[in-house]
Amino acid sequence: MPRCLCGCVPSLVRRGLLATGLAAAAFPARAQISADPALVDDIVTANRILYDQGVVDGFGHISARHDKDPGRYLLSRSMAPALVTAGDIMEFDLDSNPIDARGRAPYLERFIHGALYEARPDVNSVVHSHAEETLAFGITGTPLPPVIHLARAIGPTVPVWDIAEKFGDNTDLLVTNAEHGRDLAARLGQASVALMRGHGFAAVGAAIPDVVRLSVYLPVNARVLTTAMRFGEFKALAPGELSGRSGFDPGSASYWRAWEYWARRAGVGERLGEMP
Amino acid sequence: MPRCLCGCVPSLVRRGLLATGLAAAAFPARAQISADPALVDDIVTANRILYDQGVVDGFGHISARHDKDPGRYLLSRSMAPALVTAGDIMEFDLDSNPIDARGRAPYLERFIHGALYEARPDVNSVVHSHAEETLAFGITGTPLPPVIHLARAIGPTVPVWDIAEKFGDNTDLLVTNAEHGRDLAARLGQASVALMRGHGFAAVGAAIPDVVRLSVYLPVNARVLTTAMRFGEFKALAPGELSGRSGFDPGSASYWRAWEYWARRAGVGERLGEMP
Amino acid sequence: MPRCLCGCVPSLVRRGLLATGLAAAAFPARAQISADPALVDDIVTANRILYDQGVVDGFGHISARHDKDPGRYLLSRSMAPALVTAGDIMEFDLDSNPIDARGRAPYLERFIHGALYEARPDVNSVVHSHAEETLAFGITGTPLPPVIHLARAIGPTVPVWDIAEKFGDNTDLLVTNAEHGRDLAARLGQASVALMRGHGFAAVGAAIPDVVRLSVYLPVNARVLTTAMRFGEFKALAPGELSGRSGFDPGSASYWRAWEYWARRAGVGERLGEMP
Amino acid sequence: MPRCLCGCVPSLVRRGLLATGLAAAAFPARAQISADPALVDDIVTANRILYDQGVVDGFGHISARHDKDPGRYLLSRSMAPALVTAGDIMEFDLDSNPIDARGRAPYLERFIHGALYEARPDVNSVVHSHAEETLAFGITGTPLPPVIHLARAIGPTVPVWDIAEKFGDNTDLLVTNAEHGRDLAARLGQASVALMRGHGFAAVGAAIPDVVRLSVYLPVNARVLTTAMRFGEFKALAPGELSGRSGFDPGSASYWRAWEYWARRAGVGERLGEMP
C-alpha cells in the first residue's frame, strides 16, 4: 500500500480508517489459528510486499501451506492485499473449504491455491496476480522464457492456461470452483508459473520468499523480453543457468537482503519467520 | 491527488491551502442539495479515486444521476477532481443548466453528462477522461476490444466519436453545447464507452463503482492490447465472456473490495453509500 | 520536488537541509528586484510545477520577461528547479548579462532565454527542458505534430535545431553563448517549440501558464504519437483546431483550474499573480 | 529509498525498524576505517541517490577507491543500497578480500569492483546495477551509443560481457570470484560501461558523481534509443561531442547542482566531500 516510506499504514490505522483495524477487533487474531504465528506474519508481510512492488492491486493474493498440516493452507479473507492483517488470515482444506470462517468471506478464487497445493507437494506458497506485463503474453501465446538472472525461477517453460479450452466461452474467466483449479494445476504441471489467458498468472514456490521474488521479477522479465523481441534475436538463459545452486538461493545473504529490503520499503518492520 | 496514504488531503486542508476549504465556507454544503447526502459523498470519493488511479489529472470529471429526480444529475463545479468536496457538487437538468449555481462556475463540458443521461435511461453515472493510453486508439481508429477480464465492461465495441465529422475542422474539440453532447450520445449508442478523437473518452455505467472500474481498467486494457498487437494475433474476450453474472458484479465481495481499496488508497475514509 | 502532497518542501526547510534556505539568507529576496513580486512568485511556482510534473529534473529552467522592462528577463540562479525560491531569481538583459549577480552563479544556458526574448516580442515566458519523450523525435527528425487538444499550443510545426549544423561536431551540445542562442531562435522562427537535437526542447508562450501547459502536454503528445505511429495512419489536429479561441484560453475557468491544481500538487500554496 | 521528500529515512530510524540502525550499534562506524570520513559519507549518499533514482533496488552497489591507498576500495557490506549507513562501509584489497570484516558479510559480487580498480588506475568509483532498460541491449547485442548529451560519458562503445563465453552455460551469471571479475574487466577495456548479458551493467568513473551521473542517464539514453530505433535512422552523438571539456564537467556549477539535487531528493542532507 505505501508508495513511500512515510509510515502510511500506521497513519491510516491512527486515523481509524482501516476496515482491517475493525476486522482485527471483530475477528480475534492469529492466536486462534493452529499455524505458527511467524508464518501468519510472513503471509501478512508478503501481502504488503506484493502490493508495494506493484504485483497486486485491489486484486490478487498470496497463500502458504500450513506448517503443521500439509493438507491445509492459509490465505486472507476476501480483501485488498494492502490491507491484510494477521486477523484476516483464514485456514482452508485442499478442497478450499474454510476451516473456521467465523463470518469472514473467502476469496472467490481460493480454488487456485487449494488445487495447486493438492497437485504439488513440493509447493509451500502460491501467488495469484493480474500483473499487466504478463497479460499480452497470455493472450497471444508468445513464449515468456527467462532472460534475466533474477527471474531464473521462471524455469524452462511457462504454460498458458485458457479457461475456455475446457469450460467454454461463457465463463467470467475466474477460477471459482475446484474443477477450474484442478484444470489450471494440470496445465501448470511441474512448471513454476502458468499464465492465465486474459486474466493474469499463478506462481508457486518452495517458500514464501521464493514465490514473492518470482512474482516481482516475472513482470520485469516480461518487459525486458518485450523490448528485446522488438530488437530481433535475443539470448534467453541457458538450461544450465536455470538450475544448480545460486548466490540468490535460500540461506544466502542475497536471499534475505531482498526480503528485508522489500518488507521495509512496504512499511512492514517485522522479520521473516522460519519457513517450513 | 494523494500518491500515497500519508494523509495528503487532510494535511493540505490543515495548512489552509485548499481553495476547496475556502469553497466549503463560501458555498454551504450538501444540505442544500435535494439529493441523498450519501450519493454526494460517493461522487466526491469517486473524484478522488479517479485522480489517485491516474484516470483524471487537472481535467476530467465524474457525475451521477440524481437519486430522486432522473431528469437531473450531479457534477462538481469547474475544478480539478483531486480537490472536489461535497460543497462543490452542483445540480443540473438534462440540458445541463445549473439548478442553483450560487456563483459556482460549471464545467464547460458538462454537456457530455446531460446528453448521456438523456439518451440512456439505464445510465446512472458518467466519466469523462483524457486517459493517455486510449488516445492513440482514438486518432487511428484502431479497435479497442476488451482482452482482460477486469475490463469486460468495455463491451463488444468501442465507437470513436470525431467532433469534426459533424461540426467541422474549426472546433477546439471540446463538447461545449448540447448539440455536441447529443452527437456524442448518438455515436455511443448502447455501448459503454466512446473514444473522443484527439481528446479522451466518455464512459457510462449503471452505478458509480461500475463506471469507475471501467475507467480504471480501460487504460490497462489499452496498454495490454498495445503490446499484444506488436506480438501478432491476440485473443480478445469472447461474447459470452462479456455477459452473464460475474464474481465482480454488484453485491459480490470483489465488487466492494475494489472500491474500499481505491477509496482508502486515495485517502478517503468514508464508505460507499447506497446507490440508486 | 514533491512526489506527493505530504509537505515535502516545508519539511526539508524545517530540517535546515536546503541550500535555498541558506541562499535566501545570503541573498536578500525579491524586494531587491525591480519586477513585480507577484511575477517573481509565479516563476518560483512554475519551477516547482515543472519539477512535479516531470518536465525538469536537476536540469531545465523557466524564465519570464520583466514586467516593467521588456529588455530584461528573470531566471533563477544555477540550481535545480525543485529548490528555487524567490531569493534565487536573477535579472538579465537580453544579451544574458546578469544585472546584479551578487555572487550568484547564472545558468550556463541562459542564452536560450535572452535570445528568444530578443527575437520574439510576443513571448513573455520561456522553458528549457530535457523531457525524455521528445528526444527520440529530435534525433530522428520524426515530425511531432499536435494530436491531442491539450497540446494544441504546439502549433503546426515543430522545428528541430541541431547545434552541429552551424557550430560543428565538437560542441558539448549546450547553448553557452549568445551566438548559439540566436541560432536556436532563428530556427524556432514563429513556432512555439523547437526540439534541440540530443538535448531537449525550448518552448515559448505569451504568459507563464501557457508555456507551462505546453511543456506539460508536449511529452504526453509525444507518447501518444509514438504509440499511434506504431498502429499506422493517425489523424493530427487540423489547422482550424489549432487556432481560434478555446475553452482552455487565458481567462477561462479551465485555464486557471489547471494552474491551481498543478501548484497545489507541487506543494505551492500561493496564487498566480497577474501576468503582464 | 524515499520516493518523496517527506523524511522517510529519518522516520524509519525513529520507528526503530532499520537493521542499519542496529548495525551502526553493532559495528562501530567510520572512525574505524582509515579512509577520509567525507569519502565514506559520499559513498553512503551515492547509495541513497542510486536507489532514489531507480538505478538499484534490493540489488546493485557502488564503491570508491580508498583515498589513501590505491590498492584498496570501499564498499558496503551485503545489504540493500537504500539502507546503507557509514558503519556498513567495508574496506577491501584489490583481490576483494575484506580488510577488517568484523562479522559483516560482503557482497557476493564484490569481485566486479576489485577487478575494475585493478585493471583501471584511472577509475575511482564503480557501480553495478540491474537497470532494466539496459537489459534488452545486453541480451540482443544491439549497440547502445550515447544519443543524448547528459549521457556523453557512455563513450563511443559499450561492450557486452557474456559470462558464458569463457565460463560456460552452467553459471548463475553472477561475478563470484576474481576470475569472473578479471574477465569482465578485460571486456570493459578502456570503456566507461559494460553490459553484462542477462544481468545488468558495470560502470566506472574518475569520481563518485561521474559514475552516478552515468548510471542515472544510461537508462534514460537506453529508453530514448529504444524509441528512436522504432522511428528509423537516428543521429548518435558525434565523436567530438563525447570529448573535450563540458559545462557538465567537475568543478562546473551544473556538476554540483545535479549532485545536490539528487542528494536532497533522496533525503540525504550532507554535502559531497572532496573527491580524491
Side-chain angles (χ1 to χ4, degrees):
Chain A
M1 180 164 40
R3 287 295 175 195
C4 68
L5 288 174
C6 49
C8 304
V9 175
S11 78
L12 265 192
V13 171
R14 214 179 308 123
R15 285 152 57 198
L17 297 179
L18 281 190
T20 55
L22 306 175
F27 308 114
R30 49 196 156 172
Q32 306 254 345
I33 241 175
S34 61
D36 183 349
L39 177 58
V40 172
D41 284 350
D42 290 350
I43 298 171
V44 171
T45 299
N47 271 279
R48 306 295 181 93
I49 289 173
L50 291 175
Y51 170 72
D52 184 59
Q53 294 290 319
V55 178
V56 297
D57 57 1
F59 304 106
H61 12 91
I62 180 166
S63 66
R65 194 187 289 272
H66 196 293
D67 60 310
K68 296 188 187 73
D69 181 352
R72 295 189 176 179
Y73 68 93
L74 306 169
L75 176 66
S76 169
R77 68 183 177 97
S78 178
M79 68 188 311
L83 305 176
V84 168
T85 61
D88 301 307
I89 304 301
M90 299 173 67
E91 206 174 324
F92 298 88
D93 63 26
L94 298 194
D95 292 324
S96 294
N97 299 310
I99 300 302
D100 178 23
R102 281 174 286 143
R104 294 173 293 184
Y107 286 120
L108 206 60
E109 296 200 288
R110 62 194 179 277
F111 302 96
I112 295 171
H113 301 264
L116 294 177
Y117 290 119
E118 183 185 65
R120 291 279 299 269
D122 60 315
V123 164
N124 290 306
S125 188
V126 173
V127 165
H128 171 53
S129 156
H130 299 162
E132 183 182 325
E133 294 89 341
T134 64
L135 289 164
F137 290 88
I139 65 174
T140 57
T142 304
L144 177 45
V147 294
I148 60 172
H149 76 312
L150 282 169
R152 74 203 287 264
I154 289 175
T157 45
V158 178
V160 178
W161 178 72
D162 183 349
I163 194 172
E165 284 185 32
K166 180 158 180 183
F167 301 98
D169 272 351
N170 288 299
T171 74
D172 59 3
L173 284 90
L174 302 180
V175 177
T176 53
N177 60 47
E179 238 190 311
H180 291 158
R182 282 173 189 140
D183 193 50
L184 167 62
R187 177 55 54 94
L188 179 69
Q190 294 306 305
S192 294
V193 55
L195 302 184
M196 303 160 79
R197 190 266 307 168
H199 182 166
F201 70 79
V204 300
I208 290 175
D210 294 310
V211 74
V212 166
R213 182 202 300 261
L214 172 53
S215 300
V216 168
Y217 286 108
L218 177 68
V220 177
N221 191 83
R223 285 195 298 265
V224 170
L225 182 54
T226 296
T227 301
M229 286 168 57
R230 192 193 304 158
F231 290 169
E233 293 295 304
F234 61 88
K235 181 171 180 180
L237 296 191
E241 290 169 342
L242 302 180
S243 55
R245 281 194 62 79
S246 163
F248 289 124
D249 283 345
S252 70
S254 305
Y255 184 85
W256 298 104
R257 185 199 332 165
W259 181 268
E260 180 188 42
Y261 159 72
W262 286 325
R264 290 195 172 126
R265 228 192 87 94
V268 187
E270 298 169 61
R271 292 213 59 92
L272 180 68
E274 292 310 301
M275 295 298 302
Chain B
M1 178 164 42
R3 287 294 176 196
C4 67
L5 288 173
C6 50
C8 304
V9 174
S11 78
L12 266 191
V13 171
R14 216 179 305 124
R15 284 153 58 198
L17 297 179
L18 282 191
T20 55
L22 305 175
F27 308 113
R30 49 194 157 174
Q32 305 255 346
I33 240 174
S34 61
D36 183 351
L39 176 59
V40 173
D41 285 348
D42 290 349
I43 297 172
V44 172
T45 299
N47 270 279
R48 306 297 180 91
I49 288 173
L50 291 175
Y51 169 72
D52 184 59
Q53 295 290 319
V55 178
V56 297
D57 57 2
F59 304 106
H61 13 91
I62 180 167
S63 66
R65 194 189 290 270
H66 196 294
D67 59 310
K68 297 188 186 72
D69 180 352
R72 296 191 176 178
Y73 68 93
L74 306 169
L75 176 68
S76 169
R77 68 182 177 98
S78 178
M79 67 188 310
L83 306 175
V84 169
T85 61
D88 301 307
I89 304 301
M90 299 173 68
E91 206 171 325
F92 298 89
D93 64 25
L94 298 193
D95 291 324
S96 295
N97 299 310
I99 300 302
D100 178 24
R102 281 174 286 145
R104 295 172 293 185
Y107 287 121
L108 207 59
E109 296 200 287
R110 61 193 181 279
F111 302 95
I112 296 171
H113 303 264
L116 294 177
Y117 290 118
E118 183 184 63
R120 292 277 298 270
D122 60 315
V123 164
N124 290 306
S125 189
V126 172
V127 165
H128 170 54
S129 156
H130 299 163
E132 183 182 323
E133 294 88 341
T134 64
L135 290 164
F137 290 87
I139 65 175
T140 57
T142 305
L144 176 46
V147 294
I148 60 174
H149 76 311
L150 283 169
R152 73 203 287 264
I154 290 175
T157 45
V158 179
V160 178
W161 177 71
D162 184 349
I163 193 172
E165 283 185 35
K166 179 157 181 184
F167 301 98
D169 272 352
N170 287 299
T171 74
D172 59 3
L173 284 89
L174 302 180
V175 178
T176 54
N177 61 46
E179 237 191 312
H180 291 157
R182 283 172 190 142
D183 192 51
L184 166 62
R187 178 56 52 94
L188 178 70
Q190 293 306 304
S192 294
V193 55
L195 302 184
M196 302 160 79
R197 191 266 307 169
H199 183 167
F201 71 79
V204 299
I208 291 176
D210 295 309
V211 74
V212 166
R213 182 202 300 262
L214 172 54
S215 300
V216 168
Y217 287 108
L218 178 68
V220 177
N221 191 84
R223 286 196 297 266
V224 170
L225 182 55
T226 297
T227 301
M229 286 167 57
R230 193 192 304 158
F231 290 169
E233 294 295 305
F234 62 88
K235 181 171 180 179
L237 296 191
E241 290 169 343
L242 302 181
S243 55
R245 281 194 63 79
S246 162
F248 289 124
D249 283 346
S252 71
S254 305
Y255 184 85
W256 297 104
R257 187 201 328 166
W259 181 268
E260 179 189 43
Y261 159 72
W262 286 326
R264 289 192 174 129
R265 226 193 89 93
V268 187
E270 298 170 61
R271 293 211 59 92
L272 180 69
E274 293 310 301
M275 295 297 300
Chain C
M1 178 164 41
R3 286 296 175 195
C4 68
L5 287 173
C6 49
C8 303
V9 175
S11 78
L12 265 191
V13 172
R14 215 178 306 123
R15 284 152 59 198
L17 297 179
L18 283 190
T20 55
L22 306 175
F27 307 115
R30 47 195 159 172
Q32 305 255 345
I33 241 174
S34 61
D36 183 351
L39 177 58
V40 173
D41 285 349
D42 289 349
I43 298 172
V44 172
T45 299
N47 270 278
R48 306 296 181 91
I49 289 173
L50 291 175
Y51 169 73
D52 184 60
Q53 294 290 319
V55 177
V56 298
D57 58 0
F59 304 106
H61 14 90
I62 179 167
S63 66
R65 194 188 291 269
H66 196 294
D67 59 311
K68 298 189 186 71
D69 181 352
R72 295 191 175 178
Y73 67 92
L74 306 169
L75 176 67
S76 169
R77 68 183 177 97
S78 178
M79 68 188 311
L83 306 175
V84 168
T85 62
D88 300 307
I89 304 302
M90 299 174 66
E91 205 172 325
F92 298 89
D93 64 25
L94 298 193
D95 292 324
S96 295
N97 298 312
I99 301 302
D100 178 23
R102 280 174 287 144
R104 294 171 295 185
Y107 287 120
L108 206 58
E109 295 200 287
R110 61 194 179 278
F111 302 96
I112 296 171
H113 302 264
L116 294 177
Y117 290 118
E118 183 184 64
R120 293 277 300 269
D122 60 315
V123 164
N124 291 306
S125 188
V126 173
V127 165
H128 170 53
S129 156
H130 299 162
E132 183 183 325
E133 294 89 342
T134 64
L135 290 163
F137 290 88
I139 65 175
T140 58
T142 305
L144 176 46
V147 294
I148 60 173
H149 76 311
L150 283 169
R152 73 203 287 263
I154 290 175
T157 45
V158 179
V160 178
W161 177 71
D162 183 350
I163 193 172
E165 283 184 34
K166 178 157 183 184
F167 302 98
D169 274 351
N170 288 299
T171 74
D172 60 4
L173 285 87
L174 301 180
V175 178
T176 54
N177 60 47
E179 238 191 312
H180 291 157
R182 283 171 189 142
D183 192 51
L184 167 60
R187 178 55 52 96
L188 179 69
Q190 294 306 306
S192 294
V193 55
L195 303 185
M196 304 160 78
R197 191 265 306 168
H199 182 167
F201 71 78
V204 299
I208 291 176
D210 294 309
V211 74
V212 166
R213 182 201 302 259
L214 173 53
S215 300
V216 167
Y217 287 108
L218 178 67
V220 177
N221 191 83
R223 286 195 298 267
V224 170
L225 183 54
T226 297
T227 301
M229 287 167 57
R230 192 192 304 157
F231 290 169
E233 293 297 303
F234 61 88
K235 180 171 181 179
L237 296 191
E241 290 169 343
L242 303 180
S243 56
R245 282 195 62 80
S246 163
F248 289 125
D249 283 346
S252 71
S254 305
Y255 184 86
W256 298 104
R257 184 198 333 164
W259 180 269
E260 178 189 45
Y261 159 72
W262 286 326
R264 292 199 169 123
R265 226 194 89 95
V268 187
E270 298 169 61
R271 293 211 60 92
L272 180 69
E274 292 309 301
M275 294 298 300
Chain D
M1 178 163 40
R3 286 296 176 194
C4 68
L5 288 174
C6 49
C8 304
V9 175
S11 78
L12 265 191
V13 171
R14 214 179 307 123
R15 285 152 58 197
L17 297 179
L18 281 191
T20 54
L22 306 174
F27 308 113
R30 48 195 157 171
Q32 305 256 345
I33 240 174
S34 61
D36 183 351
L39 177 57
V40 173
D41 285 349
D42 289 349
I43 298 172
V44 172
T45 299
N47 270 278
R48 305 295 181 92
I49 289 173
L50 291 175
Y51 169 72
D52 185 58
Q53 294 290 320
V55 178
V56 297
D57 57 0
F59 304 106
H61 13 90
I62 179 167
S63 66
R65 194 187 290 270
H66 196 294
D67 59 309
K68 298 189 185 71
D69 181 351
R72 294 189 177 180
Y73 68 93
L74 306 169
L75 177 66
S76 169
R77 68 183 177 96
S78 177
M79 68 188 310
L83 305 175
V84 168
T85 62
D88 300 307
I89 304 301
M90 299 174 66
E91 205 173 325
F92 297 89
D93 65 25
L94 298 194
D95 292 323
S96 294
N97 298 311
I99 301 302
D100 179 24
R102 280 174 288 143
R104 294 173 294 184
Y107 287 120
L108 206 60
E109 296 200 287
R110 62 194 179 276
F111 301 96
I112 296 171
H113 303 264
L116 294 177
Y117 290 118
E118 184 184 64
R120 292 279 298 271
D122 60 316
V123 164
N124 290 308
S125 188
V126 173
V127 165
H128 170 53
S129 156
H130 299 163
E132 184 183 324
E133 294 89 341
T134 65
L135 289 163
F137 290 87
I139 65 175
T140 57
T142 304
L144 177 46
V147 294
I148 60 173
H149 76 311
L150 283 169
R152 74 202 287 262
I154 289 174
T157 45
V158 179
V160 178
W161 178 71
D162 184 348
I163 194 172
E165 283 184 34
K166 179 156 182 185
F167 302 99
D169 272 352
N170 289 298
T171 74
D172 59 3
L173 285 90
L174 302 180
V175 178
T176 54
N177 61 45
E179 238 190 312
H180 291 158
R182 283 173 189 139
D183 193 50
L184 168 61
R187 177 55 53 96
L188 179 69
Q190 293 307 305
S192 294
V193 55
L195 302 184
M196 304 161 78
R197 190 266 306 168
H199 183 166
F201 71 78
V204 299
I208 291 176
D210 295 310
V211 74
V212 166
R213 182 201 301 259
L214 172 53
S215 300
V216 167
Y217 287 108
L218 178 68
V220 177
N221 191 83
R223 285 196 298 266
V224 170
L225 182 54
T226 297
T227 301
M229 287 168 57
R230 193 194 303 158
F231 289 168
E233 294 296 304
F234 61 88
K235 180 170 180 181
L237 296 192
E241 291 169 340
L242 302 180
S243 56
R245 282 195 62 81
S246 163
F248 289 124
D249 283 346
S252 70
S254 304
Y255 185 85
W256 297 104
R257 184 199 333 165
W259 180 269
E260 180 190 41
Y261 159 71
W262 286 326
R264 290 194 172 126
R265 228 192 86 95
V268 187
E270 297 170 63
R271 292 212 59 91
L272 180 69
E274 293 309 301
M275 295 298 302

